[in-house]
Amino acid sequence: MSASVKPVRLDMDRLIDDRRTRIIVCCGSGGVGKTTAAAAIGLRAAERGRQACVLTVDPARRLAQSMGLTSLDNTPRLVEGVQAENGGSLHAMMLDMKRTFDEIVEAHADPDRAAQILANPFYQSLSSSFAGTQEYMAMEKLGQLRHAEEWDLIVVDTPPSRSALDFLDAPQRLGRFLDGRLIRMLTGPAKAGMSYMRVLNAGFAMMTSVLTKILGAQVLKDAQTFITALDTMFGGFRERAEATYRLLQAPGTAFLVVAAPESDALREASYFVERLDAERMPLAGLILNRVHTSPASRLSAARSLAAAETLETQNGPNGKGATGPRYYIAAAALRMHAERMHLGKRERRLAEHFTSAHPAIPVVEVDAQPEDVHDLDGLRIIGTILSRQGS
Ligand SMILES: Nc1ncnc2c1ncn2[C@@H]1O[C@H](COP(=O)(O)OP(=O)(O)O)[C@@H](O)[C@H]1O
Ligand SMILES: [Mg+2]
């Protein structure tokens, strides 16, 4: 296909050293390394002198522990073990979606009403299971942290959604939900003036009986109570979502799309890049994570396989030939090397495909580490790799 296009290199240190950068958002599909990248960037920024705060969503247990994230209390905590010679600091918090939702209710309703809403089963299921709630809450929390002015750089990890686009779609989806027909119907009678009530009542009574059959009386009552109470906060939700959306478009924000060198993840990354562009959101670049390279890349896959075959034939069946079982192990290692070279080649092709479709997007590659990244040392290594390619 196309001749290989060399990607522009992403200069991570320039991005994190630039004081105008106030928010970095790590997006991407599930399992590609968003949480790892966000934590590694936060740590590096802190060690280079910034007052950084990482908002993580689903850190693996060991990583969370190593950052001191043992409780889900929605407050950023100072991370111990950060090198502070440059005057920086790192705070981290784990997003508790339900807690954030509760806090909004508490902040926007009087105590009695808040208690009523929080205890409402409909609210409880909405706040923990509504599709997109977590994305919405991540944005909500980001708005709060940014507003607090305690940090000069906030690094945001995004929820483990199937699609990276969910993050951008969440506020609208919540808005659509609140504006939806069912919600209108439920809130309609409560909002309508008395003179309309009589007219509406007949129709509503019929609808109610249908809904009662479908949902059950208690659920319907719960839903009505909750929605009526929520109504007072309705505008608030919308306004804040819009404010956060504008914050994401502001020049101080940088999106980093994280992808593994696999076709699904890169296709998703492409969609995301196009969406950001369409919505005029500032994209800083692509992190290509878990790239497989080989320390012995001069030995080609073909030669390596040929050598394995030679060893195996010389050795005869069952490894009992004159050359002994040691050669079997050598042959297996050669085959593994060949596989890794093939994988590396496939990954390179996929990366080139992305670059030829989006030639202006800066890219940084992070190689696959021999084991999971689960502590500050591991994060520091990722941070160094992320920055080594800066031009
Ligand atoms: N470059 C890497 N090399 C090896 N393991 C990695 C690398 N990046 C991430 N991981 C591991 O992959 C797993 C998924 O990463 P994570 O950051 O949680 O992904 P996401 O947040 O996108 O779901 C974690 O166990 C993490 O330690
Ligand atoms: Mg994650």
Side-chain angles (χ1 to χ4, degrees):
M1 225 190 44
S2 59
S4 83
V5 186
K6 263 217 161 325
V8 186
R9 283 178 172 183
L10 174 63
D11 192 339
M12 190 64 75
D13 280 347
R14 209 168 95 191
L15 181 67
I16 59 184
D17 289 346
D18 187 341
R19 300 273 152 174
R20 288 169 301 183
T21 310
R22 302 296 303 270
I23 294 173
I24 293 178
V25 186
C26 295
C27 298
S29 43
V32 291
K34 297 178 293 292
T35 301
T36 307
I41 291 168
L43 177 63
R44 188 165 180 93
E47 296 190 336
R48 290 175 74 86
R50 303 223 37 189
Q51 310 307 320
C53 181
V54 179
L55 169 57
T56 84
V57 183
D58 63 334
R61 229 177 106 86
R62 281 176 75 191
L63 180 65
Q65 276 171 348
S66 75
M67 296 180 81
L69 296 171
T70 42
S71 65
L72 267 171
D73 59 0
N74 258 1
T75 329
R77 300 271 171 221
L78 187 70
V79 178
E80 309 276 340
V82 174
Q83 291 158 11
E85 293 90 81
N86 293 320
S89 66
L90 179 64
H91 280 75
M93 71 157 269
M94 224 180 332
L95 181 73
D96 178 346
M97 168 183 72
K98 179 149 190 339
R99 188 69 224 126
T100 306
F101 219 137
D102 293 353
E103 282 168 6
I104 298 170
V105 172
E106 283 160 357
H108 293 86
D110 63 66
D112 281 353
R113 174 158 271 187
Q116 203 187 345
I117 297 174
L118 296 183
N120 186 302
F122 181 79
Y123 167 77
Q124 289 173 352
S125 83
L126 175 81
S127 62
S128 51
S129 69
F130 170 64
T133 313
Q134 202 165 19
E135 284 79 5
Y136 177 77
M137 288 306 149
M139 278 213 191
E140 178 81 33
K141 199 71 207 178
L142 168 63
Q144 290 171 14
L145 293 179
R146 180 66 179 82
H147 200 68
E149 292 285 351
E150 272 181 58
W151 299 281
D152 62 18
L153 178 66
I154 301 166
V155 187
V156 190
D157 172 24
T158 51
S161 331
R162 211 162 22 90
S163 162
L165 297 177
D166 287 352
F167 185 69
L168 291 178
D169 288 334
Q172 266 188 329
R173 196 150 7 115
L174 191 71
R176 269 206 305 277
F177 170 77
L178 292 171
D179 278 344
R181 298 253 299 274
L182 176 68
I183 301 296
R184 269 174 203 279
M185 220 157 52
L186 292 171
T187 52
K191 280 201 292 190
M194 280 310 280
S195 54
Y196 296 103
M197 280 299 268
R198 222 167 308 149
V199 190
L200 280 172
N201 259 350
F204 185 72
M206 199 177 75
M207 262 327 289
T208 305
S209 81
V210 173
L211 283 172
T212 307
K213 282 204 188 92
I214 302 169
L215 300 172
Q218 192 55 46
V219 173
L220 186 64
K221 199 161 154 280
D222 288 344
Q224 273 172 324
T225 319
F226 169 63
I227 298 293
T228 310
L230 188 71
D231 210 41
T232 51
M233 305 182 290
F234 198 136
F237 267 104
R238 266 287 176 77
E239 272 161 34
R240 283 195 311 284
E242 276 159 22
T244 312
Y245 204 75
R246 284 194 297 275
L247 191 64
L248 293 177
Q249 284 178 321
T253 300
F255 278 86
L256 288 171
V257 178
V258 186
E262 291 157 11
S263 48
D264 286 352
L266 279 168
R267 193 174 322 120
E268 184 75 23
S270 275
Y271 289 144
F272 198 72
V273 161
E274 281 152 24
R275 250 308 273 289
L276 287 177
D277 192 44
E279 312 220 1
R280 278 177 286 145
M281 299 256 173
L283 170 68
L286 174 81
I287 297 176
L288 199 57
N289 188 34
R290 296 189 105 150
V291 175
H292 292 88
T293 50
S294 171
S297 58
R298 280 166 60 202
L299 176 59
S300 76
R303 283 185 57 203
S304 170
L305 272 183
E309 269 161 30
T310 311
L311 279 178
E312 280 157 358
T313 18
Q314 279 175 358
N315 207 31
N318 311 323
K320 286 183 182 141
T323 45
R326 217 179 308 155
Y327 287 84
Y328 249 30
I329 296 168
L334 282 163
R335 285 191 181 278
M336 259 166 67
H337 172 72
E339 234 165 69
R340 207 177 156 101
M341 292 294 285
H342 275 308
L343 180 62
K345 232 182 184 163
R346 195 164 62 235
E347 290 179 351
R348 186 113 326 278
R349 252 199 322 272
L350 288 167
E352 277 167 11
H353 188 73
F354 179 91
T355 302
S356 60
H358 308 279
I361 295 175
V363 179
V364 60
E365 292 187 9
V366 177
D367 16 34
Q369 301 299 298
E371 56 177 320
D372 275 0
V373 183
H374 52 71
D375 55 15
L376 291 190
D377 289 339
L379 290 176
R380 214 170 267 127
I381 292 171
I382 300 288
T384 310
I385 298 174
L386 280 169
S387 301
R388 77 181 166 193
Q389 298 175 57
S391 43

